Amino acid sequence: LAVSPSDYTDFERLLGEIQAAFGLEDVQRLRRAATPEMASHFEEELSANAARGLVNRISGAKLLQGDLSEAWREGDADYASVAMRYAILDMMVERASGRIVAGDAARPQEVTELWTFRRPRAGSWQLSAIQQV
């Protein structure tokens, strides 16, 4: 499966959209940008944070490097796994007080993960999996 420059643009856009939506706890945006399985995982993580009185504030995702790991076609869908190295502001905040309990509001951290995207033929890419590297 050939991955085009416009596909890479979509992957970078999805990185920003998904990280921003997660940081805002915007479940509807997450459901649009991710497969149902991945959106369910995000919702579970958001619920677990809320149960602990925390919110994961994420912002400023900036792709530093994206390298295609593999791309393939399976049934009626295309898949692409991309090693995503990006910078992001990532903090755990007490929901009630706003106090930062982990992370740094001024210093972005660098993250590398393997993101797998899925699209139905002639459809739009969605995030289908994330693996820690």
Side-chain angles (χ1 to χ4, degrees), residues 110-121:
E110 195 171 294
V111 178
T112 302
E113 297 172 324
L114 187 65
W115 284 38
T116 299
F117 300 93
R118 178 191 186 282
R119 73 173 170 202
R121 295 248 173 92

Side-chain angles (χ1 to χ4, degrees), residues 20-27 30 46 49-50 54-57 95:
F22 190 86
L24 294 170
E25 299 180 312
D26 187 338
V27 172
L30 289 169
L46 292 171
N49 289 342
L54 300 173
V55 61
N56 192 185
R57 293 287 179 226
R95 194 174 290 276

Side-chain angles (χ1 to χ4, degrees), residues 88-109:
I88 193 164
L89 289 173
D90 185 357
M91 300 157 291
M92 281 301 242
V93 177
E94 282 183 343
R95 194 174 290 276
S97 70
R99 183 176 67 88
I100 297 171
V101 296
D104 188 329
R107 197 171 277 128
Q109 58 183 282

Side-chain angles (χ1 to χ4, degrees), residues 51 53 72 77-78 87 92 98 103 121 126 129:
W72 69 98
D78 297 335
M92 281 301 242
R121 295 248 173 92
Q126 290 184 305

